[in-house]
Amino acid sequence: GAGVSQSPSNKVTEKGKDVELRCDPISGHTALYWYRQSLGQGLEFLIYFQGNSAPDKSGLPSDRFSAERTGGSVSTLTIQRTQQEDSAVYLCASSPEGRRMNTEAFFGQGTRLTVV
Amino acid sequence: DAKTTQPNSMESNEEEPVHLPCNHSTISGTDYIHWYRQLPSQGPEYVIHGLTSNVNNRMASLAIAEDRKSSTLILHRATLRDAAVYYCILRAFNTDKLIFGTGTRLQVFP
């Protein structure tokens, strides 16, 4: 596809379980971003990748959250021992060259995570 | 990270121009001003960006104050499909982060 693809689109999980959220960026995009959006709230920055490395992990809420990116392409956000407050829409975005200021970011449709 | 301040909400009638303000008094000389919008139940989409000069594209215009401490997104003729949350963002030079604030919720009435 031509856009950023996220899977699954919806995920319901039990409290305490681990979940993995996947992001397929647009081919050739070197920068990849993860955000979290709770119901009715703004976007909370989690982490971004430049290639396979993550220069800034400061937005990850706790050590239960981790992310990796392989081959400069697909990224996985993992949440361990999920809690109800983790329920939110998780959004992924990519941009062609992260260090160039004149590039736009393209967002996926998000994964809606519900922890019950 | 330099912060932005936007009104929580604004209203407009269809086919009227809309001016969405953003204050960014702590902007640094190398920060670009980006605007994104988020339609209901969708991920954000890019609208426009600029550094010092005013910018125009097919979606909107961006007017940047001479001192760069504020900017205004201009929708020349609002349509019902423009109803969204509009985010003004400063893109930091050395981190590439896009930090979203609370944005302005624009309502457009027929």
Side-chain angles (χ1 to χ4, degrees), chain A residues 36-91:
Chain A
R36 178 170 72 173
Q37 189 169 33
S38 301
L39 187 63
Q41 302 298 310
L43 277 78
E44 176 187 3
F45 169 80
L46 298 179
I47 189 172
Y48 90 96
F49 290 88
Q50 184 62 239
N52 289 336
S53 64
D56 190 334
K57 302 179 181 180
S58 64
L60 294 176
S62 74
D63 58 8
R64 296 187 295 105
F65 288 72
S66 63
E68 65 175 13
R69 188 180 186 193
T70 56
S73 181
V74 173
S75 177
T76 302
L77 177 69
T78 301
I79 309 173
Q80 295 178 313
R81 305 181 302 281
T82 52
Q83 304 294 314
Q84 287 185 328
E85 60 263 29
D86 299 334
S87 296
V89 175
Y90 289 81
L91 289 157

Short mmCIF file of all heavy atoms in Angstrom, two decimals, chain A residues 36-91:
data_model
loop_
_atom_site.label_atom_id
_atom_site.label_comp_id
_atom_site.label_asym_id
_atom_site.label_seq_id
_atom_site.Cartn_x
_atom_site.Cartn_y
_atom_site.Cartn_z
N ARG A 36 0.63 8.11 21.30
CA ARG A 36 -0.52 7.54 21.98
C ARG A 36 -1.56 8.64 22.14
O ARG A 36 -1.22 9.78 22.49
CB ARG A 36 -0.11 6.98 23.35
CG ARG A 36 -1.24 6.41 24.15
CD ARG A 36 -0.74 5.68 25.38
NE ARG A 36 -0.22 6.56 26.42
CZ ARG A 36 0.14 6.13 27.62
NH1 ARG A 36 0.04 4.84 27.91
NH2 ARG A 36 0.60 6.97 28.54
N GLN A 37 -2.81 8.28 21.89
CA GLN A 37 -3.90 9.24 22.05
C GLN A 37 -5.01 8.61 22.87
O GLN A 37 -5.71 7.71 22.40
CB GLN A 37 -4.42 9.70 20.69
CG GLN A 37 -5.40 10.86 20.77
CD GLN A 37 -5.69 11.47 19.42
OE1 GLN A 37 -5.70 10.78 18.40
NE2 GLN A 37 -5.93 12.79 19.39
N SER A 38 -5.17 9.09 24.09
CA SER A 38 -6.26 8.62 24.92
C SER A 38 -7.54 9.33 24.50
O SER A 38 -7.50 10.38 23.86
CB SER A 38 -5.96 8.90 26.40
OG SER A 38 -4.76 8.24 26.77
N LEU A 39 -8.67 8.75 24.88
CA LEU A 39 -9.97 9.25 24.43
C LEU A 39 -10.13 10.74 24.73
O LEU A 39 -10.00 11.17 25.87
CB LEU A 39 -11.08 8.44 25.10
CG LEU A 39 -12.50 8.73 24.61
CD1 LEU A 39 -12.64 8.36 23.14
CD2 LEU A 39 -13.53 7.97 25.45
N GLY A 40 -10.39 11.51 23.69
CA GLY A 40 -10.64 12.93 23.85
C GLY A 40 -9.42 13.78 24.15
O GLY A 40 -9.55 14.97 24.43
N GLN A 41 -8.23 13.15 24.08
CA GLN A 41 -7.01 13.87 24.41
C GLN A 41 -6.15 14.13 23.17
O GLN A 41 -6.46 13.65 22.08
CB GLN A 41 -6.20 13.06 25.43
CG GLN A 41 -6.94 12.75 26.71
CD GLN A 41 -7.33 14.00 27.47
OE1 GLN A 41 -6.50 14.88 27.72
NE2 GLN A 41 -8.60 14.11 27.84
N GLY A 42 -5.08 14.88 23.37
CA GLY A 42 -4.15 15.14 22.29
C GLY A 42 -3.19 13.98 22.09
O GLY A 42 -3.31 12.93 22.73
N LEU A 43 -2.24 14.16 21.21
CA LEU A 43 -1.26 13.12 20.92
C LEU A 43 -0.07 13.21 21.87
O LEU A 43 0.53 14.26 22.02
CB LEU A 43 -0.75 13.25 19.49
CG LEU A 43 -1.62 12.63 18.40
CD1 LEU A 43 -2.80 13.52 18.09
CD2 LEU A 43 -0.80 12.37 17.16
N GLU A 44 0.23 12.09 22.48
CA GLU A 44 1.36 12.00 23.40
C GLU A 44 2.52 11.32 22.67
O GLU A 44 2.40 10.19 22.22
CB GLU A 44 0.96 11.19 24.63
CG GLU A 44 2.08 10.94 25.62
CD GLU A 44 1.66 9.99 26.73
OE1 GLU A 44 0.51 9.48 26.68
OE2 GLU A 44 2.47 9.74 27.63
N PHE A 45 3.65 12.02 22.54
CA PHE A 45 4.81 11.45 21.87
C PHE A 45 5.40 10.33 22.71
O PHE A 45 5.59 10.46 23.92
CB PHE A 45 5.86 12.54 21.66
CG PHE A 45 7.21 12.04 21.22
CD1 PHE A 45 7.43 11.71 19.89
CD2 PHE A 45 8.24 11.88 22.13
CE1 PHE A 45 8.66 11.25 19.49
CE2 PHE A 45 9.48 11.42 21.73
CZ PHE A 45 9.69 11.10 20.40
N LEU A 46 5.70 9.19 22.06
CA LEU A 46 6.30 8.06 22.76
C LEU A 46 7.77 7.89 22.41
O LEU A 46 8.64 7.89 23.27
CB LEU A 46 5.54 6.78 22.44
CG LEU A 46 4.06 6.72 22.85
CD1 LEU A 46 3.44 5.39 22.45
CD2 LEU A 46 3.90 6.95 24.36
N ILE A 47 8.05 7.74 21.11
CA ILE A 47 9.41 7.42 20.67
C ILE A 47 9.51 7.70 19.18
O ILE A 47 8.51 7.66 18.47
CB ILE A 47 9.74 5.95 20.98
CG1 ILE A 47 11.23 5.64 20.74
CG2 ILE A 47 8.85 5.00 20.19
CD1 ILE A 47 11.63 4.24 21.23
N TYR A 48 10.73 8.00 18.72
CA TYR A 48 10.92 8.05 17.28
C TYR A 48 12.22 7.36 16.89
O TYR A 48 13.15 7.25 17.70
CB TYR A 48 10.85 9.48 16.74
CG TYR A 48 12.15 10.24 16.69
CD1 TYR A 48 12.89 10.30 15.53
CD2 TYR A 48 12.60 10.94 17.81
CE1 TYR A 48 14.07 11.02 15.47
CE2 TYR A 48 13.77 11.66 17.77
CZ TYR A 48 14.50 11.71 16.60
OH TYR A 48 15.66 12.42 16.56
N PHE A 49 12.25 6.86 15.67
CA PHE A 49 13.41 6.16 15.12
C PHE A 49 13.96 6.95 13.94
O PHE A 49 13.23 7.50 13.12
CB PHE A 49 13.01 4.76 14.62
CG PHE A 49 12.68 3.80 15.71
CD1 PHE A 49 11.39 3.70 16.20
CD2 PHE A 49 13.67 2.98 16.25
CE1 PHE A 49 11.08 2.81 17.21
CE2 PHE A 49 13.37 2.08 17.26
CZ PHE A 49 12.07 2.00 17.74
N GLN A 50 15.28 6.97 13.87
CA GLN A 50 15.99 7.45 12.69
C GLN A 50 16.73 6.22 12.16
O GLN A 50 17.74 5.80 12.73
CB GLN A 50 16.95 8.57 13.06
CG GLN A 50 17.66 9.17 11.86
CD GLN A 50 16.70 9.82 10.89
OE1 GLN A 50 16.63 9.44 9.72
NE2 GLN A 50 15.96 10.79 11.38
N GLY A 51 16.22 5.65 11.09
CA GLY A 51 16.71 4.33 10.69
C GLY A 51 16.29 3.31 11.74
O GLY A 51 15.13 3.27 12.14
N ASN A 52 17.25 2.52 12.20
CA ASN A 52 16.95 1.51 13.21
C ASN A 52 17.22 1.98 14.63
O ASN A 52 16.93 1.26 15.59
CB ASN A 52 17.78 0.25 12.95
CG ASN A 52 17.31 -0.51 11.73
OD1 ASN A 52 16.17 -0.40 11.32
ND2 ASN A 52 18.21 -1.28 11.13
N SER A 53 17.77 3.18 14.77
CA SER A 53 18.12 3.63 16.12
C SER A 53 17.08 4.63 16.62
O SER A 53 16.44 5.34 15.85
CB SER A 53 19.51 4.28 16.11
OG SER A 53 19.50 5.42 15.30
N ALA A 54 16.94 4.65 17.92
CA ALA A 54 15.97 5.53 18.58
C ALA A 54 16.70 6.60 19.38
O ALA A 54 17.07 6.36 20.53
CB ALA A 54 15.06 4.71 19.49
N PRO A 55 16.92 7.78 18.77
CA PRO A 55 17.66 8.84 19.47
C PRO A 55 16.94 9.35 20.71
O PRO A 55 17.58 9.90 21.60
CB PRO A 55 17.77 9.95 18.42
CG PRO A 55 17.48 9.31 17.12
CD PRO A 55 16.55 8.18 17.41
N ASP A 56 15.62 9.21 20.74
CA ASP A 56 14.86 9.80 21.83
C ASP A 56 13.79 8.82 22.29
O ASP A 56 12.83 8.58 21.57
CB ASP A 56 14.23 11.13 21.40
CG ASP A 56 13.64 11.90 22.56
OD1 ASP A 56 13.26 11.28 23.58
OD2 ASP A 56 13.53 13.13 22.45
N LYS A 57 13.97 8.27 23.49
CA LYS A 57 13.00 7.35 24.06
C LYS A 57 12.29 8.00 25.25
O LYS A 57 11.62 7.32 26.03
CB LYS A 57 13.67 6.06 24.53
CG LYS A 57 14.42 5.32 23.45
CD LYS A 57 15.07 4.05 24.00
CE LYS A 57 15.85 3.32 22.92
NZ LYS A 57 16.50 2.10 23.43
N SER A 58 12.42 9.29 25.37
CA SER A 58 11.97 9.97 26.59
C SER A 58 10.48 9.92 26.80
O SER A 58 10.01 10.09 27.93
CB SER A 58 12.42 11.44 26.55
OG SER A 58 11.80 12.13 25.47
N GLY A 59 9.70 9.67 25.74
CA GLY A 59 8.26 9.67 25.89
C GLY A 59 7.66 8.36 26.35
O GLY A 59 6.47 8.31 26.67
N LEU A 60 8.45 7.31 26.38
CA LEU A 60 7.89 6.02 26.81
C LEU A 60 7.43 6.14 28.27
O LEU A 60 8.22 6.52 29.14
CB LEU A 60 8.92 4.91 26.66
CG LEU A 60 9.32 4.59 25.22
CD1 LEU A 60 10.41 3.53 25.19
CD2 LEU A 60 8.11 4.13 24.41
N PRO A 61 6.16 5.78 28.56
CA PRO A 61 5.59 6.06 29.90
C PRO A 61 6.24 5.27 31.02
O PRO A 61 6.27 5.75 32.16
CB PRO A 61 4.12 5.67 29.73
CG PRO A 61 3.88 5.59 28.27
CD PRO A 61 5.17 5.24 27.63
N SER A 62 6.69 4.06 30.72
CA SER A 62 7.29 3.23 31.77
C SER A 62 8.14 2.17 31.11
O SER A 62 8.17 2.04 29.89
CB SER A 62 6.18 2.58 32.61
OG SER A 62 5.56 1.53 31.88
N ASP A 63 8.82 1.39 31.93
CA ASP A 63 9.67 0.33 31.37
C ASP A 63 8.85 -0.84 30.84
O ASP A 63 9.42 -1.81 30.32
CB ASP A 63 10.70 -0.15 32.39
CG ASP A 63 10.06 -0.67 33.66
OD1 ASP A 63 8.81 -0.80 33.70
OD2 ASP A 63 10.80 -0.95 34.62
N ARG A 64 7.53 -0.76 30.96
CA ARG A 64 6.71 -1.81 30.35
C ARG A 64 6.59 -1.59 28.83
O ARG A 64 6.17 -2.49 28.11
CB ARG A 64 5.29 -1.80 30.96
CG ARG A 64 5.25 -2.15 32.43
CD ARG A 64 3.81 -2.28 32.94
NE ARG A 64 3.07 -1.02 32.88
CZ ARG A 64 2.14 -0.75 31.97
NH1 ARG A 64 1.83 -1.64 31.04
NH2 ARG A 64 1.49 0.41 32.00
N PHE A 65 6.95 -0.39 28.39
CA PHE A 65 6.86 -0.05 26.98
C PHE A 65 8.23 -0.15 26.33
O PHE A 65 9.23 0.34 26.87
CB PHE A 65 6.35 1.39 26.81
CG PHE A 65 4.90 1.59 27.12
CD1 PHE A 65 4.45 1.56 28.43
CD2 PHE A 65 3.98 1.82 26.11
CE1 PHE A 65 3.11 1.75 28.72
CE2 PHE A 65 2.64 2.02 26.39
CZ PHE A 65 2.19 1.98 27.70
N SER A 66 8.27 -0.77 25.16
CA SER A 66 9.50 -0.84 24.39
C SER A 66 9.15 -0.84 22.91
O SER A 66 8.02 -1.17 22.53
CB SER A 66 10.31 -2.09 24.75
OG SER A 66 9.58 -3.26 24.42
N ALA A 67 10.10 -0.47 22.10
CA ALA A 67 9.87 -0.46 20.66
C ALA A 67 11.16 -0.80 19.96
O ALA A 67 12.25 -0.52 20.46
CB ALA A 67 9.37 0.91 20.20
N GLU A 68 11.01 -1.42 18.81
CA GLU A 68 12.17 -1.71 17.99
C GLU A 68 11.80 -1.52 16.52
O GLU A 68 10.62 -1.54 16.15
CB GLU A 68 12.69 -3.13 18.23
CG GLU A 68 11.74 -4.23 17.83
CD GLU A 68 12.38 -5.60 17.98
OE1 GLU A 68 13.45 -5.71 18.62
OE2 GLU A 68 11.81 -6.57 17.44
N ARG A 69 12.84 -1.34 15.75
CA ARG A 69 12.67 -1.20 14.32
C ARG A 69 13.78 -1.99 13.64
O ARG A 69 14.95 -1.86 14.01
CB ARG A 69 12.74 0.26 13.90
CG ARG A 69 12.36 0.50 12.43
CD ARG A 69 12.44 1.95 12.05
NE ARG A 69 11.94 2.17 10.70
CZ ARG A 69 12.12 3.30 10.02
NH1 ARG A 69 12.76 4.32 10.58
NH2 ARG A 69 11.63 3.43 8.81
N THR A 70 13.41 -2.78 12.68
CA THR A 70 14.39 -3.63 12.01
C THR A 70 14.42 -3.33 10.52
O THR A 70 13.38 -3.04 9.90
CB THR A 70 14.04 -5.12 12.22
OG1 THR A 70 12.71 -5.35 11.77
CG2 THR A 70 14.15 -5.49 13.69
N GLY A 71 15.64 -3.41 9.97
CA GLY A 71 15.80 -3.20 8.53
C GLY A 71 15.40 -1.82 8.07
O GLY A 71 15.14 -1.61 6.88
N GLY A 72 15.34 -0.88 9.01
CA GLY A 72 14.95 0.47 8.64
C GLY A 72 13.52 0.56 8.16
O GLY A 72 13.13 1.54 7.51
N SER A 73 12.72 -0.47 8.48
CA SER A 73 11.36 -0.50 7.96
C SER A 73 10.37 -0.73 9.09
O SER A 73 10.09 0.20 9.87
CB SER A 73 11.24 -1.57 6.88
OG SER A 73 9.94 -1.60 6.35
N VAL A 74 9.89 -1.95 9.23
CA VAL A 74 8.82 -2.27 10.17
C VAL A 74 9.23 -1.96 11.60
O VAL A 74 10.37 -2.21 12.00
CB VAL A 74 8.43 -3.75 10.03
CG1 VAL A 74 7.44 -4.16 11.11
CG2 VAL A 74 7.85 -4.02 8.65
N SER A 75 8.27 -1.45 12.37
CA SER A 75 8.50 -1.20 13.78
C SER A 75 7.42 -1.90 14.60
O SER A 75 6.28 -2.05 14.15
CB SER A 75 8.46 0.29 14.08
OG SER A 75 8.61 0.54 15.47
N THR A 76 7.84 -2.35 15.79
CA THR A 76 6.92 -2.99 16.72
C THR A 76 6.97 -2.27 18.06
O THR A 76 8.06 -2.05 18.60
CB THR A 76 7.29 -4.47 16.93
OG1 THR A 76 7.28 -5.14 15.68
CG2 THR A 76 6.30 -5.14 17.87
N LEU A 77 5.80 -1.91 18.56
CA LEU A 77 5.68 -1.34 19.90
C LEU A 77 5.12 -2.43 20.80
O LEU A 77 4.07 -3.00 20.51
CB LEU A 77 4.75 -0.13 19.89
CG LEU A 77 4.47 0.54 21.24
CD1 LEU A 77 5.73 1.24 21.76
CD2 LEU A 77 3.33 1.56 21.12
N THR A 78 5.84 -2.75 21.85
CA THR A 78 5.44 -3.81 22.77
C THR A 78 5.08 -3.22 24.13
O THR A 78 5.83 -2.38 24.66
CB THR A 78 6.57 -4.84 22.95
OG1 THR A 78 6.90 -5.40 21.67
CG2 THR A 78 6.14 -5.96 23.89
N ILE A 79 3.95 -3.63 24.63
CA ILE A 79 3.53 -3.23 25.97
C ILE A 79 3.42 -4.50 26.81
O ILE A 79 2.64 -5.41 26.47
CB ILE A 79 2.18 -2.48 25.96
CG1 ILE A 79 2.21 -1.35 24.95
CG2 ILE A 79 1.87 -1.94 27.36
CD1 ILE A 79 0.84 -0.67 24.75
N GLN A 80 4.20 -4.56 27.85
CA GLN A 80 4.17 -5.73 28.74
C GLN A 80 3.25 -5.49 29.91
O GLN A 80 3.08 -4.35 30.38
CB GLN A 80 5.59 -6.02 29.24
CG GLN A 80 6.57 -6.42 28.15
CD GLN A 80 7.97 -6.64 28.69
OE1 GLN A 80 8.48 -5.83 29.46
NE2 GLN A 80 8.59 -7.75 28.31
N ARG A 81 2.65 -6.56 30.37
CA ARG A 81 1.80 -6.50 31.58
C ARG A 81 0.84 -5.31 31.48
O ARG A 81 0.84 -4.41 32.33
CB ARG A 81 2.66 -6.39 32.83
CG ARG A 81 3.70 -7.51 32.96
CD ARG A 81 4.52 -7.37 34.23
NE ARG A 81 5.22 -6.10 34.34
CZ ARG A 81 6.34 -5.80 33.72
NH1 ARG A 81 6.90 -6.69 32.90
NH2 ARG A 81 6.92 -4.61 33.89
N THR A 82 0.01 -5.34 30.46
CA THR A 82 -0.87 -4.20 30.18
C THR A 82 -1.75 -3.83 31.37
O THR A 82 -2.18 -4.70 32.14
CB THR A 82 -1.76 -4.48 28.97
OG1 THR A 82 -2.43 -5.73 29.16
CG2 THR A 82 -0.96 -4.51 27.69
N GLN A 83 -1.99 -2.54 31.49
CA GLN A 83 -2.86 -1.97 32.51
C GLN A 83 -4.02 -1.26 31.83
O GLN A 83 -3.93 -0.89 30.65
CB GLN A 83 -2.07 -0.99 33.38
CG GLN A 83 -0.84 -1.58 34.03
CD GLN A 83 -1.19 -2.65 35.04
OE1 GLN A 83 -2.09 -2.46 35.85
NE2 GLN A 83 -0.51 -3.79 34.98
N GLN A 84 -5.07 -1.02 32.56
CA GLN A 84 -6.24 -0.37 31.96
C GLN A 84 -5.91 1.04 31.45
O GLN A 84 -6.47 1.48 30.45
CB GLN A 84 -7.38 -0.33 32.97
CG GLN A 84 -8.02 -1.69 33.19
CD GLN A 84 -9.24 -1.65 34.09
OE1 GLN A 84 -9.31 -0.82 34.99
NE2 GLN A 84 -10.17 -2.56 33.86
N GLU A 85 -4.98 1.71 32.12
CA GLU A 85 -4.62 3.06 31.67
C GLU A 85 -3.84 3.06 30.35
O GLU A 85 -3.60 4.13 29.78
CB GLU A 85 -3.81 3.80 32.73
CG GLU A 85 -2.50 3.13 33.11
CD GLU A 85 -2.64 2.30 34.38
OE1 GLU A 85 -3.75 1.78 34.64
OE2 GLU A 85 -1.63 2.16 35.09
N ASP A 86 -3.46 1.86 29.88
CA ASP A 86 -2.80 1.77 28.57
C ASP A 86 -3.81 1.84 27.43
O ASP A 86 -3.42 1.96 26.25
CB ASP A 86 -2.01 0.47 28.45
CG ASP A 86 -0.91 0.34 29.49
OD1 ASP A 86 -0.42 1.38 29.96
OD2 ASP A 86 -0.56 -0.81 29.85
N SER A 87 -5.08 1.74 27.75
CA SER A 87 -6.11 1.80 26.71
C SER A 87 -6.06 3.15 26.00
O SER A 87 -6.13 4.21 26.64
CB SER A 87 -7.50 1.61 27.33
OG SER A 87 -7.62 0.33 27.90
N ALA A 88 -5.91 3.10 24.68
CA ALA A 88 -5.76 4.32 23.88
C ALA A 88 -5.65 3.91 22.42
O ALA A 88 -5.60 2.73 22.08
CB ALA A 88 -4.50 5.09 24.29
N VAL A 89 -5.58 4.91 21.55
CA VAL A 89 -5.24 4.67 20.16
C VAL A 89 -3.75 4.94 20.00
O VAL A 89 -3.25 6.00 20.41
CB VAL A 89 -6.05 5.58 19.21
CG1 VAL A 89 -5.59 5.39 17.77
CG2 VAL A 89 -7.54 5.29 19.32
N TYR A 90 -3.05 3.98 19.44
CA TYR A 90 -1.61 4.12 19.23
C TYR A 90 -1.39 4.42 17.75
O TYR A 90 -1.77 3.64 16.88
CB TYR A 90 -0.88 2.85 19.67
CG TYR A 90 -0.89 2.72 21.17
CD1 TYR A 90 -2.01 2.20 21.83
CD2 TYR A 90 0.18 3.14 21.94
CE1 TYR A 90 -2.05 2.12 23.22
CE2 TYR A 90 0.16 3.07 23.32
CZ TYR A 90 -0.96 2.55 23.95
OH TYR A 90 -0.99 2.49 25.32
N LEU A 91 -0.77 5.55 17.50
CA LEU A 91 -0.58 6.04 16.14
C LEU A 91 0.88 5.98 15.74
O LEU A 91 1.77 6.29 16.54
CB LEU A 91 -1.07 7.49 16.02
CG LEU A 91 -2.58 7.68 16.09
CD1 LEU A 91 -2.93 9.09 16.53
CD2 LEU A 91 -3.21 7.40 14.73
#
